[in-house]
Amino acid sequence: DQPFAPELRSDLQGLVFTEDPELAPRDTPNGRMQFVRMVGVTLDELRAIFSWDARAFVDLLRQRDPLLVTDMDRTSLRQDPELGPKIDQG
């Protein structure tokens, strides 16, 4: 279990892929394109996602950050007094 950038001492150790909130899907002459965003998650969030639902987790994360920009200094949402219990209930 290694963080993405050990020199930053980040708690983020995993990734979730989701629809990009800024770039809508597009039809092109070569087919449909859908843009995805990689979102950094902590190890305990990743464990919760495996036993719960990645889409529901991302929806909770959007409440805190609608653009889903990965903040390398972010702590686990499970420590958030409002969102943590929702994750635990999931």
Side-chain angles (χ1 to χ4, degrees):
D1 298 326
Q2 292 285 327
F4 296 128
E7 67 279 4
L8 296 178
R9 297 187 181 269
S10 176
D11 290 338
L12 303 182
Q13 296 185 25
L15 289 172
V16 174
F17 294 83
T18 189
E19 299 87 10
D20 191 295
E22 296 182 289
L23 297 172
R26 294 193 171 111
D27 291 317
T28 73
N30 296 316
R32 186 162 177 81
M33 286 192 315
Q34 181 161 0
F35 299 92
V36 295
R37 179 154 306 189
M38 297 185 306
V39 180
V41 295
T42 65
L43 191 55
D44 67 331
E45 291 168 345
L46 194 57
R47 288 184 183 126
I49 289 167
F50 283 139
S51 65
W52 183 32
D53 183 304
R55 188 174 305 268
F57 174 82
V58 170
D59 288 343
L60 285 178
L61 184 55
R62 277 184 217 274
Q63 292 178 22
R64 192 185 232 191
D65 179 11
L67 296 180
L68 300 173
V69 175
T70 295
D71 176 3
M72 296 300 287
D73 293 325
R74 179 176 74 76
T75 58
S76 173
L77 288 185
R78 295 186 87 178
Q79 295 176 13
D80 184 288
E82 181 183 340
L83 301 179
K86 293 179 181 179
I87 294 170
D88 293 338
Q89 290 170 1

